[in-house]
Amino acid sequence: QVYVVFSEELQCWCRALVESVRRWADGCQLRCFLVDYAKYCSVASENIRVLVGAFAKIPYRAKKCRLHCTKPLTLHIDYCENTAKIGPAKRWDSAAIQHFRKLLE
């Protein structure tokens, strides 16, 4: 279900899908995917509303996607042998993400 959340970063109300909920002593924190901005954000539980009316029928501007058969790589440096090799990684590093975003722009 799509909700409306207030994004502190964008300073506006946005349509969002709730990814996860964390409970704190003073309330809940929601991890959301903003469907019109393709961004993730954290939102306090008091900043979420139910989406009603015609706004619920408007198509999303962003879609979650993955690169088919593309796996993250990283540079493995062996200081003892004074070598560097590119090999598999568990996550994309920040430099690779920035480079990919620049390519998309």
Side-chain angles (χ1 to χ4, degrees):
Q1 183 175 353
V2 180
Y3 295 93
V4 178
V5 299
F6 186 78
S7 169
E8 295 289 335
E9 179 185 349
L10 300 172
Q11 289 295 305
C12 65
W13 290 90
C14 309
R15 294 185 300 165
L17 295 171
V18 176
E19 296 278 318
S20 63
V21 178
R22 288 188 186 162
R23 298 194 185 276
W24 302 101
D26 58 344
C28 294
Q29 192 76 15
L30 308 164
R31 175 131 170 98
C32 300
F33 177 73
L34 305 179
V35 297
D36 293 319
Y37 295 93
K39 290 185 171 204
Y40 288 92
C41 69
S42 294
V43 178
S45 58
E46 61 266 7
N47 290 334
I48 186 168
R49 306 287 186 270
V50 176
L51 182 65
V52 293
F55 292 112
K57 297 176 184 171
I58 299 172
Y60 306 155
R61 290 180 55 197
K63 292 185 180 182
K64 289 190 211 178
C65 60
R66 296 175 187 242
L67 298 174
H68 181 68
C69 294
T70 303
K71 305 219 185 244
L73 298 174
T74 190
L75 186 64
H76 296 283
I77 300 172
D78 187 347
Y79 292 105
C80 296
E81 295 183 19
N82 201 22
T83 60
K85 296 178 184 175
I86 293 179
K90 292 182 182 179
R91 300 184 62 200
W92 290 99
D93 62 10
S94 58
I97 293 169
Q98 273 185 331
H99 179 68
F100 183 71
R101 285 183 178 157
K102 285 181 184 176
L103 290 174
L104 289 175
E105 290 174 359

